[in-house]
Amino acid sequence: MTDETSTGIDVSTLYIVPTPIGNLGDITLRAIEVLKQVDIIAAEDTRHTGKLLSHFGITTRTVALHDHNEQQKMEFLIEKLCSGLSVALVSDAGTPLISDPGYHLVSRCRQQNVKVIPLPGPCAVITALSASGLPSDRFTFEGFLPPKTKGRRDKFAQIADDPRTLIFYESPHRILDALNDMLHELGADRQVVLARELTKTFETIHGAPLGELISWLGEDRNRVRGEMVLLVAGHRPNKDDLPLEARKALRLISKDLPLKKAAAITAELFAVKKNALYKWGLENIDE
Ligand code: SAM
């Protein structure tokens, strides 16, 4: 174990400070010290962060830095940093930049040789993955899903063959639609885990094959409430699987030709079995 407990603040430095995703006890000692000692806290929502700061007796000045003013506020913050001040960047919850503002500021600081010091801390994607029971050696975080069915289905079709664990953020209003779109593209057997209200009173981490998970959610409205992370097992190849490109081609060709004919052409193009393609088309393509 290392014993690096220094909390001195460096001048002209941007600190990236994660904050709790629910349970206030998850803030780190170092985060509290940094937030107390920096000259300015750049916060996604100053009122929201103000409550956290007053809970920990922190009186540092805050300025707003959100998606709509990041470009403009960035100039102000860079100027302060270059003049010797220290700044902490926080978002409403969890780690800044992870589906939260801050990318432009950090990128600009690094271009201008302004020192950036990241603090480790709460992050919903990592917290959910650690308890999901899904493989954690390789995973891909996809952020928020597109808001509409077409975008979601395209997204799921693109990543259907990815062998890594797939992780998404999703809102409770859209979760059932999103899962039904996933069912359309990935089938009912794919293992899915829904992690909701992490670190809070109603924390629930439930895993099941997709078809069963949808039924389970339909049994109780409370199961689709709150903040949630959706984790999906990666694709496990099987010798009868049809290549993604062949399935895409069949979808495209069958728009203009009867499915049987489209399956015959696609089978020849990709050297796969015509009957298997035809059967897949019957199950997955709406005519
Ligand atoms: N920066 C944050 C992080 O490090 O996780 C994420 C911010 S993003 C705007 C908010 C989304 O994160 C929520 O819609 C939800 O998908 C997920 N999230 C945040 N807190 C959560 C929690 N306590 N339980 C489950 N998901 C959470």
Side-chain angles (χ1 to χ4, degrees), residues 256-271:
D256 294 321
L257 292 176
L259 186 60
K260 218 170 208 158
K261 184 102 186 139
I265 295 172
T266 312
E268 200 153 324
L269 282 173
F270 290 90

Side-chain angles (χ1 to χ4, degrees), residues 246-265:
R247 284 180 274 141
K248 273 193 198 160
L250 181 64
R251 269 195 200 282
L252 215 65
I253 299 171
S254 67
K255 284 188 180 156
D256 294 321
L257 292 176
L259 186 60
K260 218 170 208 158
K261 184 102 186 139
I265 295 172

Side-chain angles (χ1 to χ4, degrees), residues 16-19 89-91 93-102 122:
I16 314 294
V17 182
T19 53
L89 174 67
V90 300
S91 60
T95 301
L97 281 87
I98 305 301
S99 295
D100 267 341

